[in-house]
Amino acid sequence: MARTANRLSEEEIGLVRESSLLVGRTLAEVARRIAPGVSTGDLDRMAEEFIRDHGGIPGFKGLYGCPSTLLISINEEVVHGLPGKRTLQEGDVASVDCGVLMRGFYGDSAYTFEVGEVNPEAQALLRVTKECLALGIAQAVAKHRTGDIGFAVQQHAEAHGYGIVRELVGHGVGRKLHEAPEVPNYGRRGHGARLDEGMVIAIEPMVTMGRKEVSQLDDGWTVVTQDGKPSAHFEHTVAVREGKAEVLTTFSYIEDVLKERGMAVA
Ligand code: MG
Ligand code: MG
């Protein structure tokens, strides 16, 4: 039987799992530090050092000219915010995306954090976006199609009156950070690329509180909502399996830290 390009062997999936766990541990270090007054550049430097200390290479830095280890997107920023001098403020929601390359394979995950006290509307956005991710993952089983994932994500977000970003999508993960197939967060059941056992994909709903339209800032990176309303982003790297997807990245390290710190878990 022909082997699809993005189907990985068990050994290869094991390597993605190792990279993915380091992503989870890195995001847990972010969780430990996230607070009003902390600069995004400091979080980025910490993350790079942590990844390198643990035998990995920052997965984004240098890829497509990306200057940083983390992409940190605050409030109306959807994805691809560049870390720098900006400091987090009480009430911000900050999406932190992280990739690791280790022993030839990538892992990719994102989590949206609450900074201090966040208003109930933003809390609900985060909770629903995380639910969208779980619903998408539930569809990542063999013989399904990418449209089944997109449909599940879109339905749930739109049922809450939220927007689903169209311009950016999930993707295959393996020897490259971005491989086929594209995994949109919208779609029709039974449509799109077929999912097979051993395919590894990143599922990453980007959900907006208001309208779905986005623009890119002049920095050539940061994607923002056109209406200026907040957005959330949660991402897992998963292996497609018969019956039930295997989640290779993890939020458990992050959420252990948030609970330790008495912070809200979306
Ligand atoms: Mg990512
Ligand atoms: Mg991704």
Side-chain angles (χ1 to χ4, degrees):
M1 200 169 69
R3 213 181 101 120
T4 359
N6 56 310
R7 271 179 87 173
L8 304 186
S9 68
E10 287 307 316
E11 193 186 344
E12 292 167 334
I13 291 172
L15 294 172
V16 174
R17 192 184 295 113
E18 292 302 312
S19 297
S20 294
L21 291 176
L22 183 50
V23 173
R25 291 171 66 198
T26 306
L27 289 174
E29 293 303 308
V30 172
R32 217 177 281 290
R33 288 164 178 79
I34 214 139
V38 171
S39 86
T40 55
D42 282 344
L43 292 175
D44 187 64
R45 280 184 287 279
M46 176 282 298
E48 175 167 3
E49 196 178 309
F50 186 83
I51 290 168
R52 294 191 191 281
D53 282 352
H54 290 82
I57 298 168
F60 302 161
K61 199 169 187 177
L63 198 64
Y64 318 116
C66 178
S68 59
T69 295
L70 302 176
L71 292 165
I72 304 181
S73 309
I74 301 166
N75 300 333
E76 79 286 358
E77 297 175 352
V78 180
V79 286
H80 300 170
L82 298 179
K85 289 198 176 72
R86 181 170 179 178
T87 56
L88 298 172
Q89 305 295 313
E90 180 87 20
D92 284 347
V93 292
S95 304
V96 182
D97 199 342
C98 181
V100 161
L101 172 62
M102 198 162 56
R103 296 170 67 194
F105 287 84
Y106 283 91
D108 188 11
S109 183
Y111 196 91
T112 304
F113 295 92
E114 299 179 14
V115 182
E117 280 302 315
V118 166
N119 71 45
E121 291 75 22
Q123 289 175 7
L125 174 70
L126 269 49
R127 190 192 68 242
V128 171
T129 305
K130 202 174 157 199
E131 290 168 355
C132 286
L133 174 58
L135 291 166
I137 290 170
Q139 295 298 320
V141 294
K143 299 182 190 68
H144 278 204
R145 288 183 179 268
T146 53
D148 295 309
I149 297 172
F151 179 83
V153 169
Q154 180 181 11
Q155 279 285 105
H156 192 62
E158 291 179 353
H160 287 82
Y162 298 143
I164 283 288
V165 173
R166 302 297 200 273
E167 289 81 352
L168 298 132
V169 297
H171 49 91
V173 177
R175 291 185 184 276
K176 289 192 285 184
L177 178 66
H178 295 130
E179 300 203 0
E182 291 196 343
V183 184
N185 296 302
Y186 58 92
R188 292 163 62 196
R189 274 191 279 214
H191 287 70
R194 204 179 98 115
L195 302 172
D196 290 309
E197 167 85 27
M199 279 174 67
V200 175
I201 56 175
I203 302 177
E204 47 177 318
M206 289 153 245
V207 177
T208 61
M209 191 183 286
R211 296 182 55 80
K212 65 180 184 300
E213 285 75 21
V214 297
S215 308
Q216 192 171 54
L217 297 185
D218 290 339
D219 63 10
W221 281 90
T222 317
V223 175
V224 297
T225 58
Q226 288 184 4
D227 66 8
K229 291 196 176 162
S231 174
H233 179 213
F234 287 86
E235 175 180 28
H236 272 316
T237 299
V238 310
V240 174
R241 299 294 194 188
E242 300 280 349
K244 191 174 188 290
E246 180 188 351
V247 181
L248 301 172
T249 42
T250 177
F251 294 154
S252 62
Y253 302 132
I254 299 170
E255 294 184 344
D256 286 350
V257 169
L258 294 178
K259 284 176 201 152
E260 252 172 58
R261 295 186 61 197
M263 290 166 66
V265 170

